[in-house]
Structure formats: structure tokens, C-alpha cells
Amino acid sequence: MRATRATRALAQLYAQQPDAALSEAQVEAGLAAAGAPVNRVTVYRMLDRFAAAGVLHRQVDAARVTRFALAPQGAARPRFECDDCHRHFQLSQGCARVHSALGPVLEALATAGHENLAVEIAVRGRCVGCAHPSAGASA
């Protein structure tokens, strides 16, 4: 991948927001704000290249919007999508428990001969800020 101004700006965009799951429109706006405006087709091509290289992970949310997030290093990291405010973020609490629960599942699949296994865990609900507005403001 060539280190163009746009690809460097894309890498910087995700470095500044490591837990973000951004849509194409959000990436396009972020690149324009960073002084590297590119058209929609170029954004999709860059996102596809970053995903093919294993830097980004493609995920589709409940509204069928494709979002790209930094690819998890090691095991899967659960992500959360709020039904009210539609924020997307990775869950850090409880990840160890999720990984230990996935261990036997991945092992069984590997024993059956499956390879290059990847797990995507998406949790939907109401975030603490929407479920408990007064608690979310003070947290």
C-alpha cells in the first residue's frame, strides 16, 4: 500500500479514535477535516485495502451500515451498538470472560478441520448514557 497523504490521514484518523467503528461517510468527513479530501470511491477503496491488509475490520450494524474499526489484535473484542443514540464502541469489561467462553467453541471448530477462524461479537441494547442519563453524565 502506498503511503499517500490520504492513507496516512486514514491511519491517523483511526489512531486518534482507536475504539471507533466509522462509516464511509464518517471517514470521508474525517479525511476532509484532516486536509486530505478524497471522493467516496477512493474512501471505499482505501477502507477495502486496509481491511484486506488486516488493519481494519469490516462490520455491518443493525441499520445495515458498513462500519470499519481497527482489527482486534489476538482474540475477538465484543462491540456494542446503542439502539437509542446509535453510538458504536468496543467493550473492554468482561472481555476475558468472553474469550474464555469462546475457547471451547473455536477449539471444536478447529478440531473439525476449519481454519483461519474469526469471531465477531455484536451486542445491541441501550448504553448507560441512554438508559440512565443522570448516571451517564456523572460517569
Side-chain angles (χ1 to χ4, degrees):
M1 191 175 326
R2 292 187 3 227
T4 64
R5 183 176 58 170
T7 57
R8 289 191 307 271
L10 180 60
Q12 184 64 30
L13 179 66
Y14 279 98
Q16 292 170 347
Q17 304 175 63
D19 290 333
L22 304 174
S23 67
E24 178 281 329
Q26 291 171 314
V27 170
E28 189 176 345
L31 294 176
V38 292
N39 65 44
R40 180 179 314 151
V41 173
T42 302
V43 172
Y44 274 118
R45 286 183 183 151
M46 288 186 340
L47 291 170
D48 285 341
R49 285 187 193 125
F50 273 61
V55 176
L56 294 179
H57 175 74
R58 177 178 314 176
Q59 55 200 38
V60 179
D61 67 14
R64 296 182 150 203
V65 173
T66 302
R67 295 180 179 276
F68 293 84
L70 286 175
Q73 301 303 310
R77 288 189 63 192
R79 63 182 174 86
F80 187 90
E81 178 183 348
C82 180
D83 289 333
D84 289 354
C85 69
H86 305 291
R87 256 184 356 130
H88 291 252
F89 52 90
Q90 290 185 347
L91 297 172
S92 56
Q93 292 181 324
C95 278
R97 285 179 159 170
V98 170
H99 293 174
S100 65
L102 285 175
V105 173
L106 293 173
E107 189 176 310
L109 290 168
T111 302
H114 302 290
E115 297 178 355
N116 297 329
L117 300 171
V119 177
E120 182 177 321
I121 301 169
V123 179
R124 289 186 36 224
R126 293 177 68 206
C127 69
V128 68
C130 291
H132 307 284
S134 58
S138 63

